[in-house]
Amino acid sequence: MNHSELIKAIARRIEQPQTVVKAVLDELAQHIQEAVEIGNELTLQGVAKFGSKERPAREGRNPATGETMHIKAKRVPDIKALKPLKDAAKA
């Protein structure tokens, strides 16, 4: 299911215009992105927990040359599926 199909499905289920549903989903995506950027955690109950974690600096290898290189520390997204979502995938 892509973004527009999701919008149509939700709009039908809650009997709201697609423009309203699109605005809500876009706002949700924006809030998740902002939480990840600043290192906060945002939980969608029953679905997933969104956050970020620090990845330390480390030494790596260039796969083309085999040369050792320094990889800088960085913050990466951290998304954890919650139990109801995991259980739904098993069904």
Side-chain angles (χ1 to χ4, degrees), residues 18-84:
Q18 290 181 27
T19 54
V20 171
V21 174
K22 182 182 182 321
V24 170
L25 287 178
D26 291 347
E27 191 64 28
L28 174 62
Q30 184 64 34
H31 279 283
I32 291 170
Q33 184 176 347
E34 289 170 3
V36 168
E37 280 178 12
I38 61 175
N40 286 347
E41 197 171 81
L42 188 142
T43 302
L44 288 180
Q45 201 166 16
V47 179
K49 191 180 289 189
F50 299 88
S52 61
K53 60 183 176 182
E54 295 292 328
R55 186 174 287 169
R58 64 190 199 281
E59 293 297 318
R61 292 204 176 268
N62 180 330
T65 64
E67 180 181 333
T68 301
M69 55 192 280
H70 180 74
I71 301 170
K72 293 192 278 185
K74 62 182 173 181
R75 185 189 313 251
V76 295
D78 184 35
I79 303 168
K80 294 180 182 112
L82 298 179
K83 187 171 180 351

